[in-house]
Amino acid sequence: NSRAEMGIGRYHWMYPGSKNHQYRPVPTLGDRASPLSGPGCFECCIKCLGGVPYASLVATILCFSGVALFCGCGHVALAGTVAILEQHFSTNTSDHALLSEVIQLMQYVIYGIASFFFLYGIILLAEGFYTTSAVKELHGEFKTTACGRCISGMFVFLTYVLGVAWLGVFGFSAVPVFMFYNIWSTCEVIKAPQGNGTAGVEQICVDIRQYGIVPWNAFPGKICGSALENICNTNEFYMSYHLFIVACAGAGATVIALIHFLMILSSNWAYLKDASKMQAYQGIKAKEEQELQDIQSRSKEQLNSYT
């Protein structure tokens, strides 16, 4: 017996209970696949999550939410405003016919805004996916062209224009909130008169004609006292007032989202510009290395010819 077999026999003689044990050879790395030989599911998930442009994703969600709030709440609030005007402030249809047409046109514009920003948000999110540095790590060497840089610059300019336009929309959406707030505050004064009595309450009025939404010959145009209080207690007024507030908040959220997009697009455009410079530098460097290798090969050939 060899020394290893004698050691095993000595172990069995000292520990009789260990004779029934079976000794199996330890498998080597060649007998089975190593767990580090290939990426697992967890590593792939982490790598894919690293390729998500989270800044563009947050801006897209904020933009969709803001536009949805502005369009949905604004559409319903405009319809409620027309109902309030027709029932209380302008009983003659011809007096508010122009206003009804403008509101109907604005509702159609709201449909177009919702559709456009749904498509534009998806495009900006896709642009964020293709220009993030994580995409370079996922898909290998990054290549940029003059057309890609031009498209990124166009998105920067278009987003800037849309941001300025939405600043105007945000200011315009605050106008009906201001009007409804004045009516609501007047109703609060009527509900809690400070020793004015019934006669004093009937002298507290709201003239909707001063806002310019209906002409001065509209009848009645002005509501006072208990009649005004009844208007404030209707569901149309309550819903329209709060929906205009939500629509104004949605317009503000859209402005913030567009500013966020503008910062992201500017950063991506700068990244594309740097990537194009690096690509040109690498091309020049590869060309110089190839020329150097050609010179060295020619020198070796000439030395071999002399020998």
Side-chain angles (χ1 to χ4, degrees):
N1 293 335
S2 62
R3 179 174 299 179
E5 293 175 350
M6 292 176 63
I8 293 174
R10 188 182 303 109
Y11 178 80
H12 287 169
W13 176 76
M14 294 177 63
Y15 303 97
S18 63
K19 294 182 179 181
N20 296 327
H21 293 180
Q22 295 180 358
Y23 296 91
R24 298 178 181 177
V26 178
T28 60
L29 292 177
D31 298 331
R32 59 179 179 177
S34 173
L36 300 177
S37 59
C41 182
F42 180 76
E43 288 79 4
C44 292
C45 292
I46 294 298
K47 194 173 183 180
C48 292
L49 290 176
V52 177
Y54 292 101
S56 297
L57 185 61
V58 170
T60 303
I61 294 174
L62 184 61
C63 182
F64 284 172
S65 301
V67 172
L69 289 176
F70 174 79
C71 295
C73 296
H75 184 275
V76 179
L78 288 174
T81 303
V82 172
I84 293 173
L85 289 174
E86 291 178 349
Q87 295 175 8
H88 305 284
F89 291 97
S90 180
T91 56
N92 190 2
T93 307
S94 60
D95 293 337
H96 59 270
L98 180 60
L99 178 63
S100 299
E101 292 179 359
V102 171
I103 289 178
Q104 187 177 7
L105 179 62
M106 291 175 62
Q107 289 176 338
Y108 284 115
V109 170
I110 284 175
Y111 297 147
I113 289 174
S115 303
F116 171 77
F117 271 90
F118 178 76
L119 180 61
Y120 190 68
I122 292 177
I123 292 174
L124 291 183
L125 182 60
E127 200 270 345
F129 268 103
Y130 283 104
T131 55
T132 183
S133 59
V135 174
K136 178 181 178 181
E137 297 176 0
L138 287 173
H139 300 286
E141 187 64 25
F142 184 73
K143 299 291 184 179
T144 179
T145 60
C147 181
R149 297 191 299 274
C150 181
I151 292 175
S152 296
M154 181 190 67
F155 281 143
V156 173
F157 175 76
L158 183 59
T159 305
Y160 176 79
V161 173
L162 291 175
V164 174
W166 268 96
L167 282 175
V169 173
F170 176 67
F172 179 77
S173 62
V175 174
V177 177
F178 173 75
M179 294 169 53
F180 273 85
Y181 174 77
N182 285 340
I183 298 174
W184 175 80
S185 61
T186 306
C187 292
E188 290 297 318
V189 173
I190 295 174
K191 292 179 182 179
Q194 298 176 357
N196 294 327
T198 306
V201 168
E202 294 300 327
Q203 293 178 358
I204 300 175
C205 304
V206 169
D207 192 351
I208 202 69
R209 296 172 296 184
Q210 64 181 345
Y211 297 109
I213 58 177
V214 293
W216 281 103
N217 58 355
F219 179 81
K222 182 172 70 171
I223 304 296
C224 302
S226 59
L228 180 60
E229 184 179 359
N230 293 331
I231 293 174
C232 293
N233 292 330
T234 58
N235 292 328
E236 290 83 4
F237 180 85
Y238 180 82
M239 289 296 297
S240 298
Y241 178 38
H242 289 84
L243 288 176
F244 273 126
I245 294 175
V246 177
C248 184
T254 305
V255 172
I256 296 174
L258 290 175
I259 294 174
H260 196 180
F261 266 130
L262 186 61
M263 293 188 294
I264 295 169
L265 291 171
S266 301
S267 175
N268 291 340
W269 184 80
Y271 170 73
L272 289 175
K273 186 177 180 180
D274 293 340
S276 63
K277 291 182 178 180
M278 182 61 66
Q279 182 179 349
Y281 170 75
Q282 290 178 353
I284 295 174
K285 183 179 179 181
K287 185 177 180 180
E288 291 178 352
E289 291 178 353
Q290 184 65 34
E291 291 178 353
L292 181 61
Q293 290 179 358
D294 293 340
I295 293 172
Q296 291 177 354
S297 61
R298 293 195 196 99
S299 299
K300 291 180 180 179
E301 290 177 358
Q302 292 178 357
L303 290 175
N304 293 330
S305 62
Y306 289 141
T307 57

